[in-house]
C-alpha cells in the first residue's frame, strides 16, 4: 500500500510538472513550410531554381571567352563547326557572329531573372499599397481608385511599355520599372478584395479603438496579414515578367547589344535555324522553359501550402 501511495504521488508530481511546462506552438508560417516540403514537385523545382542561380554565379569562372569576344577561327566556316565543343571551350557553341554562346546564355539568364524579380517587386509594392488603401478607406475613394484601374486596364499595356522605351530610351532600369508599373493592376484588385474582408476583423477594430491612424493600420495591420497572398501572387508574377521582357527583347526593344537576355537569344536562334544551328535556339530556350515551369510549380506549391482549403 505504501509503495502504491508513493507511486501515485510521483505520478501526480510528474503530471503537475508536465502541465506546468509550456507547450511550444507552431505558427502559421511553420505549418505552411511543412505542407510545402511535402509537395515534391515544388521542392524539386525550388532546387532546380537554386541550381540555375548557382550556375549563373559560378558559371562565368569556367568561361574561356568574354561576351563580346569573337572567335575568328570559327567565324565564316561551315555552321556545324560552331556547335558545342569542349575542345575549343565553346560549351554551348557560338552564335552567328562567332561569340561564345555559353557566357551569353549565362548573362541572358541573369538579366531575365533580375528583370522578373525586380519587375514583380515593383508591381507587388505598388499594387499592394494601392489595393490596401482603396479597400480600407472604401466609399468614394475606393470607387475612384478602382475606376482608375479599370481605365488603365482598357489601355494595351504593351503599347504603354513600348511608348516608354521609345520616349525615354531603351535602358535596363527603365525596362524593369516599366514592366512593373504596368503589371500592378491585377495585384491591386486582389489586395483590395482581401482588404475588404480584413478591415472588419477584431484586431483592426481594436487598433481603431486605441486611436491608431488609418494609414498606420493599413501598413502595420492590413498589409502583414496579406503577405501569404502577396507571396503567392509575386511568385506567379515573376514568370509573367520574364515572358513580357522576352517578348520585348524578341521585338528588338529590350536589352541592347552587347548585353543580351533569353528573349533576345531565342530571337537570334530562331533566325538561324534554317542553317542547322540548333544549339543557338536550344540552349536559351531550355533555360527559358525550365525557369518558367519552376516558378509556376513553386507558386502553385506556395498557394497550396498557405491556403490548403483551396486545394
Amino acid at each position: 500500500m505504501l509503495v502504491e501511495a508513493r507511486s501515485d504521488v510521483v505520478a501526480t508530481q510528474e503530471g503537475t510538472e508536465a502541465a506546468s511546462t509550456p507547450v511550444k506552438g507552431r505558427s502559421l508560417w511553420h505549418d505552411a513550410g511543412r505542407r510545402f516540403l511535402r509537395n515534391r514537385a515544388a521542392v524539386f523545382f525550388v532546387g532546380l531554381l537554386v541550381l540555375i542561380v548557382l550556375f549563373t554565379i559560378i558559371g562565368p569562372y569556367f568561361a574561356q571567352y568574354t561576351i563580346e569576344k569573337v572567335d575568328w577561327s570559327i567565324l565564316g566556316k561551315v555552321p556545324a563547326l560552331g556547335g558545342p565543343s569542349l575542345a575549343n571551350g565553346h560549351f554551348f557553341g557560338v552564335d552567328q557572329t562567332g561569340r561564345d554562346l555559353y557566357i551569353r546564355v549565362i548573362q541572358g539568364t541573369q538579366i531575365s531573372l533580375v528583370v522578373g524579380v525586380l519587375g514583380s517587386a515593383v508591381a507587388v509594392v505598388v499594387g499592394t499599397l494601392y489595393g490596401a488603401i482603396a479597400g480600407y478607406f472604401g466609399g468614394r475613394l475606393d470607387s475612384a481608385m478602382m475606376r482608375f484601374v479599370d481605365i488603365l486596364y482598357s489601355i494595351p499595356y504593351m503599347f504603354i511599355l513600348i511608348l516608354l522605351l521609345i520616349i525615354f530610351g531603351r535602358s535596363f532600369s527603365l525596362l524593369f520599372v516599366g514592366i512593373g508599373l504596368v503589371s500592378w493592376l491585377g495585384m491591386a484588385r486582389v489586395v483590395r478584395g482581401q482588404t475588404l474582408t480584413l478591415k472588419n476583423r477584431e484586431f483592426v477594430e481594436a487598433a481603431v479603438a486605441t486611436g491608431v491612424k488609418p494609414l498606420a493600420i493599413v501598413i502595420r495591420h492590413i498589409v502583414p496579414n496579406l503577405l501569404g497572398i502577396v507571396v503567392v501572387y509575386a511568385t506567379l508574377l515573376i514568370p509573367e515578367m520574364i515572358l513580357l521582357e522576352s517578348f520585348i527583347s524578341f521585338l528588338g526593344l529590350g536589352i541592347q547589344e552587347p548585353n543580351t537576355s533569353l528573349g533576345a537569344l531565342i530571337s537570334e536562334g530562331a533566325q538561324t535555324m534554317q542553317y542547322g544551328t540548333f544549339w543557338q535556339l536550344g540552349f536559351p530556350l531550355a533555360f527559358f522553359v525550365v525557369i518558367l515551369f519552376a516558378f509556376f510549380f513553386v507558386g502553385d506549391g506556395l498557394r497550396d501550402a498557405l491556403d490548403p482549403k483551396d486545394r
Side-chain angles (χ1 to χ4, degrees), residues 61-83:
Y61 294 101
F62 298 95
Q64 301 181 19
Y65 300 87
T66 61
I67 296 172
E68 302 180 26
K69 183 177 177 58
V70 177
D71 190 349
W72 298 100
S73 64
I74 293 179
L75 189 64
K77 294 184 178 180
V78 180
L81 295 178

Side-chain angles (χ1 to χ4, degrees), residues 16 30 33 45 78 91 107 123 150-151 155 183 221 241 247 258 302:
T16 304
H30 185 267
F45 279 101
V78 180
F91 306 131
Q107 189 200 46
D150 294 337
I151 292 173
I155 303 175
S183 304
H221 300 281
M241 299 293 101
F247 179 70
L302 286 173

